Amino acid sequence: MVGLGRWQRWQRQGGGERVGGVGRGVVRVMPVVLIVLGFSFDMLTPPSYTGSPFFSAAPLIAAPVFPLLATALTGALASLAVVVLHLFNSTFWKAEALTELATVLTVSGLAILINRVVRRSGERLASARGIAEAAQRAVLPKPAERIGGLHVSARYEAAQADAFIGGDLYAVQDTPYGVRLAVGDVRGKGLGAVEAVAVVLGAFREAAETEPTLEGVAHRLERALAREGTRRDSLDAVEGFTTCVLGEVPAEGGVLRLVNRGHPEPLLLSADGSLAVLAPADPALPLGMGDLAAWPDRAEEWPFPEGSTLLLYTDGLTEARDPAGEFYDPAARLGGSVFPGPDALLSALSGDVRRHTGGGTMDDMALLAVGRPGRRQPERRQPGRRRTVPVVRGEEMRRGGA
């Protein structure tokens, strides 16, 4: 993924607006400018001075930027300039002239070789990029915009530019028991974390269809991680764990059930801009830590009124810091804001995080927003600075509560 990120940045730089901080147009004219400078320098100085360094630099600069033919033509033009200058000065058959010509020809040949190596590496990396995108779609597919009558939007914001998937996960599935969803964060980084993501998502998709309760789904995920941890060396069977929130919206609507296994608390945004933090009454350990403590999972119920939107996220959101070191607080930033739908919410949230951090985050961030259609919502208001919001705990906002 690191190599792919560098290749994509190189592609954008070589074909976009800027290359290494220098305008693309400037880079493209530099080989010609160098040849002109070398020619002028040689004409305006005594014979003991030479513009050979300018002629040698021109094809080297062209190699990573231009196609093969343009690189070869740049080398040929630089070599021709050396020949013309020495013919004009009647010094072509001197040893110095032949040495200069041999130097420019050798550098031009190396530039062509460099061009071929760069192009072939780029082709391989582009192919690997396509494979990585296919893997992303297979492991972490983007959910449909409408599932089981709910509006859905999901995003994966990678901390590393142009990375595809990491240790964060999300899933939404229409099942015989209603719409079920999951958002989680696997401990660790790299391919081991990606493999754990595949295990959790695979177990969730199967369990969501067959288990009649969310508690049963959580138990199946726990068993899947324990089983695969003993089979695969890449999974950490001793210290590995996954924080996760499992959710369920029954077909009749109006109710939201959650099982929280050590994950950041979801947020519920109402149609009028009020916001509630869905904190569990009894905190639980993450998945994969069942050997440390045993307790029965209990799904908690919350009202899910029309026009409201459920926001689930990973700790990459809450651990995003500004230059002063202040963590991002989604409840304080979103309280009082109204959005026309889940996708608008995630767009505004992503933009607000970028403004807060100054352009990037230190950790991957998975976002999932699920909205229950209702009456026309008020005009959208953007997330802003801190606001006072209610923190919902225990029985305060359960079914039949607030």
Side-chain angles (χ1 to χ4, degrees), residues 34-45 55 85:
L34 287 171
I35 292 174
V36 172
L37 285 175
F39 197 91
S40 302
F41 180 84
D42 211 305
M43 292 288 293
L44 298 175
T45 57
F55 300 134
L85 284 170

Side-chain angles (χ1 to χ4, degrees), residues 166-202:
D168 292 4
L169 61 97
Y170 59 76
V172 185
Q173 193 164 322
D174 193 7
T175 75
Y177 312 101
V179 176
R180 285 179 168 174
L181 50 93
V183 170
D185 187 358
V186 173
R187 174 190 176 275
K189 303 288 184 182
L191 294 178
V194 175
E195 191 171 359
V197 166
V199 170
V200 172
L201 288 177

Side-chain angles (χ1 to χ4, degrees), residues 9 21 31 39 57 61 64 71 76 79 87 190 192 216 221 234 244 259-260 262 280 309 324 326 333 362 370:
R9 287 194 294 274
F39 197 91
I61 292 178
T71 301
S79 302
L87 287 176
L221 297 186
S234 56
C244 185
V259 169
N260 192 327
T309 301
E326 182 181 0
R333 307 279 295 201
M362 298 299 294
V370 179

Side-chain angles (χ1 to χ4, degrees), residues 10 27-28 101 104 143 169-172 176 197 207 240 248 258 264-265 280 293 297 300 325 338 400:
W10 183 88
V27 173
R28 287 195 170 275
L101 180 59
V104 174
L169 61 97
Y170 59 76
V172 185
V197 166
E248 177 183 282
L258 296 177
E265 297 90 347
D297 285 304
E300 302 182 59
V338 177

Side-chain angles (χ1 to χ4, degrees), residues 298-324:
R298 292 188 177 91
E300 302 182 59
E301 286 192 356
W302 316 84
F304 194 23
E306 293 183 355
S308 58
T309 301
L310 174 69
L311 173 65
L312 301 102
Y313 53 90
T314 56
D315 60 6
L317 177 65
T318 53
E319 293 180 359
R321 289 184 286 185
D322 64 10

Side-chain angles (χ1 to χ4, degrees), residues 35-254:
I35 292 174
V36 172
L37 285 175
F39 197 91
S40 302
F41 180 84
D42 211 305
M43 292 288 293
L44 298 175
T45 57
S48 58
Y49 294 90
T50 176
S52 177
F54 295 98
F55 300 134
S56 299
L60 288 178
I61 292 178
V65 179
F66 291 162
L68 176 62
L69 179 59
T71 301
L73 288 176
T74 301
L77 183 60
S79 302
L80 179 62
V82 173
V83 172
V84 170
L85 284 170
H86 285 289
L87 287 176
F88 178 81
N89 294 323
S90 301
T91 57
F92 182 76
W93 297 111
K94 290 186 176 182
E96 294 83 355
L98 295 177
T99 300
E100 287 182 25
L101 180 59
T103 300
V104 174
L105 288 172
T106 301
V107 172
S108 298
L110 290 174
I112 293 174
L113 179 61
I114 292 171
N115 180 276
R116 293 307 303 151
V117 170
V118 169
R119 296 295 167 178
R120 288 176 181 174
S121 299
E123 291 169 0
R124 293 191 187 100
L125 288 172
S127 176
R129 178 178 182 273
I131 295 172
E133 288 178 336
Q136 179 191 28
R137 289 191 296 268
V139 175
L140 200 66
K142 185 176 181 179
E145 295 181 359
R146 295 289 297 271
I147 299 177
L150 301 176
H151 293 212
V152 178
S153 181
R155 296 195 182 187
Y156 191 97
E157 303 278 347
Q160 180 180 330
D162 304 310
F164 295 102
I165 56 176
D168 292 4
L169 61 97
Y170 59 76
V172 185
Q173 193 164 322
D174 193 7
T175 75
Y177 312 101
V179 176
R180 285 179 168 174
L181 50 93
V183 170
D185 187 358
V186 173
R187 174 190 176 275
K189 303 288 184 182
L191 294 178
V194 175
E195 191 171 359
V197 166
V199 170
V200 172
L201 288 177
F204 171 78
R205 288 168 185 146
E206 179 183 358
E209 290 286 339
T210 58
E211 290 291 338
T213 65
L214 271 186
E215 293 89 341
V217 175
H219 185 58
R220 289 275 292 274
L221 297 186
E222 185 84 49
R223 285 191 299 170
L225 282 172
R227 179 182 64 247
E228 296 302 323
T230 60
R231 294 178 178 177
R232 310 187 191 192
D233 293 335
S234 56
L235 296 183
D236 191 341
V238 178
E239 298 182 359
F241 61 85
T242 301
T243 66
C244 185
V245 171
L246 301 175
E248 177 183 282
V249 181
E252 60 270 18

